[in-house]
Amino acid sequence: MKSDIIHVTNEGEGFDKALGQAEAVARFRDLDRRGALHLRLLTEEMMGMMRALTGEREADFWIEDDGGTVDLHLAVQTPMNAEMRKNLLAASTTGENSAAKGVTGKIRDLFEQFLEPENSRIPSDLVTGMDYAYSGGDFGSLSIAAAGLWSMNRYKAAVKEGRTPVEDWDELEKSVVAKLADEVKIGIAGQDVEMVISKKFNC
């Protein structure tokens, strides 16, 4: 099942409709109160990251439900081409935005960096969640799952294995997204930079 597509902006347009869409999916899935709350909280976190983007940004938000997993999608169109993809994948891994605090802030910052591939600097403490497997290919025909360049689960694994600063573990412990989501992926899908937050429900 795929929900209606809601047009949202970082000025807040469409946010209420996005939350309403989450509530409608919760009813459709017959989620209990806890599950419905978790779905709403994840939608709120995604809208919060959208609001924090700089400049005038517009995006499409929708929800997909497949085999017990609910995926929240946020896709922002950017003039992506092969050269820009190459520049993004080759972006320096030494840059870091000191204003991006906490896991949610870092995810939002990473998402925004993907929107500016010509001068992108991937936050150094999130590099361990990157996947360069498709750096030589064309992302246009791939799903976000296949073209995903950053994965929260890979980042979590790196934190647990001690390959990132100890402070990152504290941030994961405090993050609503890290606690509730089963996965977060950010990547390039055709002309879109897309974020997908996935949550599994047992019902």
Side-chain angles (χ1 to χ4, degrees), residues 17-39:
K17 288 183 179 180
L19 292 173
Q21 197 72 266
E23 292 170 356
V25 170
R27 289 193 297 271
F28 177 79
R29 285 290 310 275
D30 197 25
L31 298 180
D32 59 20
R33 183 173 177 276
R34 180 185 176 91
L37 177 61
H38 286 178
L39 187 57

Side-chain angles (χ1 to χ4, degrees), residues 9-87:
T9 74
N10 60 348
E11 296 296 317
E13 179 184 339
F15 283 16
D16 288 341
K17 288 183 179 180
L19 292 173
Q21 197 72 266
E23 292 170 356
V25 170
R27 289 193 297 271
F28 177 79
R29 285 290 310 275
D30 197 25
L31 298 180
D32 59 20
R33 183 173 177 276
R34 180 185 176 91
L37 177 61
H38 286 178
L39 187 57
R40 181 183 174 89
L41 286 172
L42 288 172
T43 304
E44 288 178 348
E45 288 291 304
M46 182 173 266
M47 292 302 103
M49 286 186 270
M50 177 67 192
R51 187 184 292 277
L53 297 179
T54 58
E56 295 182 6
R57 297 291 189 183
E58 300 182 0
D60 287 330
F61 169 84
W62 72 94
I63 302 175
E64 294 185 11
D65 176 11
D66 182 26
T69 297
V70 174
D71 295 325
L72 308 179
H73 293 256
L74 185 69
V76 181
Q77 192 168 83
T78 187
M80 188 67 61
N81 56 45
E83 182 63 25
M84 293 171 76
R85 288 191 188 100
K86 180 180 177 181
N87 291 341

Side-chain angles (χ1 to χ4, degrees), residues 101-202:
K101 301 297 183 182
V103 173
T104 300
K106 289 177 180 177
I107 292 174
R108 186 269 307 159
D109 185 53
L110 181 65
F111 187 69
E112 188 163 37
Q113 295 297 332
F114 276 27
L115 294 174
E116 306 293 344
E118 69 278 5
N119 58 10
S120 182
R121 292 295 180 269
I122 307 305
S124 59
D125 46 0
L126 290 180
V127 170
T128 47
M130 301 288 283
D131 179 4
Y132 294 93
Y134 296 94
S135 60
D138 179 10
F139 290 93
S141 62
L142 296 173
S143 69
I144 188 66
L149 297 176
W150 184 85
S151 159
M152 185 179 70
N153 285 343
R154 285 195 294 269
Y155 175 63
K156 278 184 174 181
V159 172
K160 287 181 180 179
E161 293 168 9
R163 291 188 279 126
T164 66
V166 67
E167 304 84 60
D168 289 2
W169 179 257
D170 294 333
E171 291 178 354
L172 280 172
E173 289 288 291
K174 296 173 184 176
S175 168
V176 171
V177 171
K179 282 183 177 180
L180 298 182
D182 289 297
E183 175 66 296
V184 178
K185 287 188 176 183
I186 302 174
I188 306 164
Q191 293 294 308
D192 293 330
V193 174
E194 190 172 332
M195 179 188 304
V196 181
I197 297 179
S198 301
K199 173 70 176 176
K200 295 178 183 177
F201 292 98
N202 297 318

